[in-house]
Amino acid sequence: INVDSLPYTNPSSNPFVGVTGDDEIWSYGHRIPWRCAFDSETGELWMADVGQNAWEEINVATAGGDAGDNYGWRCYEGDHSYNTSGCPGSSTMTFPIWEFSHGGSPYRCSITGGEVYRGAAMPSLHGTYFFADYCSNQIWTLTRSGNNVIVTDVSDDLDPPGSVSIGSPSGFGLDGNGEMYICDLGGEVFKVLPGVATGACCVNTTV
């Protein structure tokens, strides 16, 4: 939408312009996108979507593209059929680049979307997407190489020193230099720092 003047206007290039009530919509088929983030270098939009029953997912929209895409909900949860009654064919939908199931030990149940790292302190992580699970407190990184997606559990690497821990991660953020922060439900903000042995570690500030 164009907010240079009010009331705002809808660009004529929006995919559903002229459809009453849908003029602002860019894409659909999302359930509960919990934290979306633009990659500052590529312009891609990363969207973590919380599942209804058994699967959590990550979707990526290209910069300026993918207008009108259907990301599948309620027909699909991740790559899996959920309620396909009256749904179009799956070939018309955009499926996630990554999904993970509920369960396991520790128990996973709700994705927390993150950010793509573009800072200078950890050059080996340039272009890496960070995300977490709210219930298990696990934190992962995701990188792509062509069509391959590589996901790494970095929970131990990001375990702060001492008795402090990251519990119920609820959001990620970047500062003006592109450095990564993690927020948890306890009101703490953790900054991701380069580590000597493990690759990365955290310092926290309680707010």
Side-chain angles (χ1 to χ4, degrees):
I1 61 176
N2 183 352
V3 296
D4 288 340
S5 61
L6 297 176
Y8 68 82
T9 57
N10 299 299
S12 60
S13 58
N14 277 10
F16 303 110
V17 164
V19 180
T20 302
D22 292 351
D23 300 74
E24 294 91 348
I25 293 174
W26 182 257
S27 62
Y28 63 106
H30 308 281
R31 183 175 177 267
I32 304 176
W34 185 249
R35 308 305 189 197
C36 300
F38 285 101
D39 183 338
S40 62
E41 185 169 297
T42 67
E44 292 174 320
L45 176 60
W46 290 70
M47 301 169 284
D49 204 2
V50 176
Q52 168 69 30
N53 184 49
W55 295 92
E56 308 293 297
E57 65 183 80
I58 297 171
N59 297 292
V60 181
T62 59
D66 303 331
D69 275 13
N70 177 358
Y71 286 87
W73 179 256
R74 68 170 165 70
C75 305
Y76 289 85
E77 184 183 39
D79 290 327
H80 309 269
S81 298
Y82 182 79
N83 180 356
T84 57
S85 174
C87 292
S90 61
S91 62
T92 67
M93 301 179 189
T94 299
F95 286 88
I97 66 165
W98 184 257
E99 63 172 10
F100 65 85
S101 64
H102 292 186
S105 180
Y107 184 78
R108 303 177 300 270
C109 78
S110 183
I111 193 169
T112 296
E115 299 274 358
V116 177
Y117 180 74
R118 295 294 181 184
M122 299 175 289
S124 65
L125 296 177
H126 189 78
T128 298
Y129 178 69
F130 284 71
F131 67 102
D133 181 78
Y134 176 84
C135 301
S136 69
N137 303 325
Q138 290 172 284
I139 301 171
W140 297 273
T141 59
L142 183 155
T143 57
R144 292 177 294 174
S145 176
N147 293 324
N148 296 321
V149 173
I150 303 166
V151 174
T152 305
D153 188 335
V154 294
S155 306
D156 290 340
D157 292 343
L158 297 181
D159 184 23
S163 60
V164 178
S165 62
I166 302 174
S168 302
S170 55
F172 291 74
L174 302 174
D175 65 17
N177 295 316
E179 301 303 329
M180 184 75 67
Y181 294 78
I182 304 170
C183 305
D184 71 6
L185 204 63
E188 297 168 315
V189 179
F190 297 84
K191 182 176 183 179
V192 180
L193 301 170
V196 176
T198 59
C201 62
C202 293
V203 64
N204 90 11
T205 301
T206 301
V207 296

